[in-house]
Amino acid sequence: MPRPRSALLSVELIVESALAQVDRTGNFSFPRIAAELGVSQSSLYNRIESREHIIELLRARIFADRRVMQDDDESWEQTVRRLIRSYHDCFAQHPNLVPLLMSQTVRAEAVLQMYEDLAAALERSGLPQQDLMSAISLIDYFALGSALESTAPDEVWDVSTEHHPTLRRALQEAGPTGERVNRAFDFGVDALLAGIAMRTKHRIY
Amino acid sequence: MPRPRSALLSVELIVESALAQVDRTGNFSFPRIAAELGVSQSSLYNRIESREHIIELLRARIFADRRVMQDDDESWEQTVRRLIRSYHDCFAQHPNLVPLLMSQTVRAEAVLQMYEDLAAALERSGLPQQDLMSAISLIDYFALGSALESTAPDEVWDVSTEHHPTLRRALQEAGPTGERVNRAFDFGVDALLAGIAMRTKHRIY
DNA sequence: ACCTGAACACCGTTCAAGT
DNA sequence: ACCTGAACACCGTTCAAGT
């Protein structure tokens, strides 16, 4: 088959196809991308290097949508809240993607920039230098975990048996999944900020 | 081949083989289990139902090692700390397993029992009923995330570029990976408990 | 009841060959 | 430079056939 005068393929097309598949089915594959774009599987390798490469492009893709409304005289606490929220929202729009992103080194520039902003805000808070990374990790765990919770398995815990009365009650009290995840998010942000602020020079609580 | 008088296979053998593979390589597969046990791949299905089933057996397996030294008159805070620690330790001994466990509903009884204990301790703390599940989720995110961090990619963030001075400084200040993860864990536990205690009837801070 | 071999429907990646 | 088809080395699962 001759080379067409305008390329059949582009990284954008590949990434969009992969993202659509993930949103729809929870995963993507080379055969399905190729089929959807009407090209051969092997031709994908002219644009991308590997499956991992696509995943990293997907990470950059969902963070590209992020609106950054920066307020110059917001407190470090407001900044941290804003960053956690926008980080969380990026994942929340593509929950199926979260598991794919979690086990892979972050290289996407937009994401690194967000961590840089987070580090700067925490430094402003007066947190001791040696706790900076700990606080970032804590926030990271939280954001990823809370995004993961809104993902695939509707029942994270199978409490069908009778042996867990307190857990069962707690789950019922928490309402339907969507509501529960949202409330857990708000609760978590407050708790994290309170916990971090405690280590700060100028305590706010 | 005739049926041997003593069975060649058992779920224990399958689970141990899978766990050893995960610890060694980060994953397991049916062909490799079969090869290691000297049986055919299809014979595995006489003992287990699916790949997911094996993963759930692995979850139960690593929690079976858990020692539960219960102190009857410990405070709710001590109980929560003890549970987070032991939960974390189970993962820490098999970090490669964490990614496999994260995207799957929890059915292992030992794990559900731990969540039940956690729920009970938090209820004792005086936390409002509707916040119980939020607190459990928060702790869960933290324990999983912190276990995940000790897993595969040595560099979670690729800060090879010059554009992230604060992040870079924070990372250097935090020391080598193992130390950083440990400090982040201790910092996180303290922060979480402080944050949760804030919502409690009898504030402790 | 327990094991086998063959078959099926999937994967990601490489590479010589075309234009 | 860009695309193809074939090949390779993997997957999980099913099923008829053996004893």
Side-chain angles (χ1 to χ4, degrees):
Chain A
M1 193 178 179
R3 169 159 65 110
R5 52 168 64 93
S6 71
L8 296 175
L9 230 45
S10 72
V11 292
E12 286 76 28
L13 280 172
I14 295 174
V15 168
E16 291 307 315
S17 170
L19 185 57
Q21 278 177 43
V22 169
D23 286 341
R24 211 177 333 116
T25 72
N27 213 338
F28 72 90
S29 83
F30 282 74
R32 291 206 305 258
I33 294 176
E36 190 178 314
L37 300 181
V39 299
S40 78
Q41 197 178 155
S42 51
S43 68
L44 299 177
Y45 286 88
N46 287 309
R47 310 289 176 166
I48 52 90
E49 286 172 4
S50 63
R51 184 179 163 86
E52 283 199 1
H53 186 196
I54 295 185
I55 292 178
E56 206 49 30
L57 291 171
L58 286 172
R59 196 199 304 271
R61 165 67 177 74
I62 68 164
F63 275 92
D65 289 348
R66 204 165 67 99
R67 47 139 189 55
V68 276
M69 38 174 297
Q70 173 103 279
D71 184 353
D72 268 354
D73 43 59
E74 62 187 0
S75 70
W76 71 267
E77 211 198 330
Q78 286 171 318
T79 306
V80 171
R81 276 179 192 273
R82 178 173 55 78
L83 290 171
I84 297 181
R85 167 59 73 182
S86 88
Y87 190 51
H88 175 266
D89 287 350
C90 290
F91 289 134
Q93 270 151 7
H94 306 278
N96 286 341
L97 189 55
V98 179
L100 300 181
L101 296 180
M102 288 196 75
S103 306
Q104 203 166 291
T105 301
V106 177
R107 292 200 169 77
E109 192 53 36
V111 186
L112 288 173
Q113 185 56 52
M114 205 219 44
Y115 282 111
E116 172 68 16
D117 294 346
L118 187 58
L122 288 170
E123 199 172 44
R124 269 203 295 142
S125 81
L127 199 67
Q129 276 287 336
Q130 80 258 20
D131 288 340
L132 258 187
M133 213 56 217
S134 298
I136 294 175
S137 292
L138 181 59
I139 290 170
D140 198 43
Y141 302 158
F142 172 70
L144 282 173
S146 115
L148 189 70
E149 178 116 358
S150 50
T151 200
D154 225 32
E155 304 278 357
V156 184
W157 297 295
D158 178 10
V159 284
S160 46
T161 59
E162 300 294 313
H163 304 128
H164 316 290
T166 320
L167 192 58
R168 202 192 187 92
R169 233 182 306 135
L171 253 172
Q172 276 164 354
E173 196 73 27
T177 307
E179 203 177 308
R180 173 165 61 81
V181 172
N182 277 336
R183 217 190 346 241
F185 182 79
D186 292 332
F187 178 92
V189 172
D190 286 343
L192 287 186
L193 279 169
I196 291 173
M198 258 201 35
R199 299 292 201 91
T200 284
K201 277 174 196 157
H202 9 274
R203 307 202 174 189
I204 57 174
Y205 294 107
Chain B
M1 195 177 176
R3 171 157 64 110
R5 53 167 61 93
S6 71
L8 295 175
L9 230 44
S10 70
V11 292
E12 286 76 28
L13 280 173
I14 295 175
V15 168
E16 290 307 315
S17 170
L19 184 57
Q21 277 176 44
V22 169
D23 286 341
R24 212 178 331 116
T25 72
N27 213 336
F28 72 89
S29 83
F30 282 75
R32 291 207 304 260
I33 295 176
E36 190 177 312
L37 300 182
V39 298
S40 79
Q41 198 180 152
S42 52
S43 68
L44 299 176
Y45 285 87
N46 288 308
R47 310 289 175 167
I48 51 92
E49 285 172 4
S50 63
R51 184 180 164 84
E52 284 199 2
H53 185 195
I54 295 185
I55 292 177
E56 206 48 31
L57 291 171
L58 286 171
R59 195 198 303 271
R61 164 67 176 74
I62 69 163
F63 275 91
D65 288 348
R66 203 165 67 100
R67 48 141 188 52
V68 275
M69 38 174 297
Q70 172 102 282
D71 185 351
D72 268 352
D73 43 58
E74 63 186 0
S75 69
W76 71 267
E77 210 198 330
Q78 286 172 318
T79 305
V80 171
R81 277 178 191 273
R82 178 173 54 78
L83 290 172
I84 298 181
R85 168 60 73 182
S86 88
Y87 190 52
H88 175 265
D89 287 349
C90 289
F91 289 133
Q93 271 152 6
H94 306 279
N96 285 341
L97 189 55
V98 179
L100 299 182
L101 297 180
M102 288 197 76
S103 307
Q104 202 164 294
T105 302
V106 176
R107 292 200 169 76
E109 191 54 36
V111 186
L112 288 172
Q113 184 56 51
M114 204 218 44
Y115 281 111
E116 171 68 17
D117 294 346
L118 187 58
L122 288 170
E123 199 173 44
R124 268 203 294 142
S125 81
L127 198 68
Q129 275 286 336
Q130 81 258 18
D131 288 339
L132 258 186
M133 212 56 215
S134 298
I136 294 175
S137 291
L138 180 59
I139 290 172
D140 198 42
Y141 301 158
F142 172 71
L144 283 173
S146 116
L148 190 70
E149 177 117 0
S150 53
T151 200
D154 224 31
E155 305 278 356
V156 184
W157 297 294
D158 178 11
V159 284
S160 47
T161 60
E162 300 295 314
H163 304 126
H164 316 290
T166 320
L167 192 58
R168 201 192 189 94
R169 233 181 307 133
L171 254 172
Q172 277 164 355
E173 196 74 27
T177 306
E179 203 176 308
R180 173 165 61 81
V181 172
N182 277 336
R183 216 186 352 237
F185 182 79
D186 291 333
F187 177 92
V189 173
D190 286 343
L192 287 186
L193 279 168
I196 292 172
M198 258 200 35
R199 300 292 200 90
T200 285
K201 277 176 196 154
H202 10 275
R203 307 204 174 186
I204 58 173
Y205 292 106

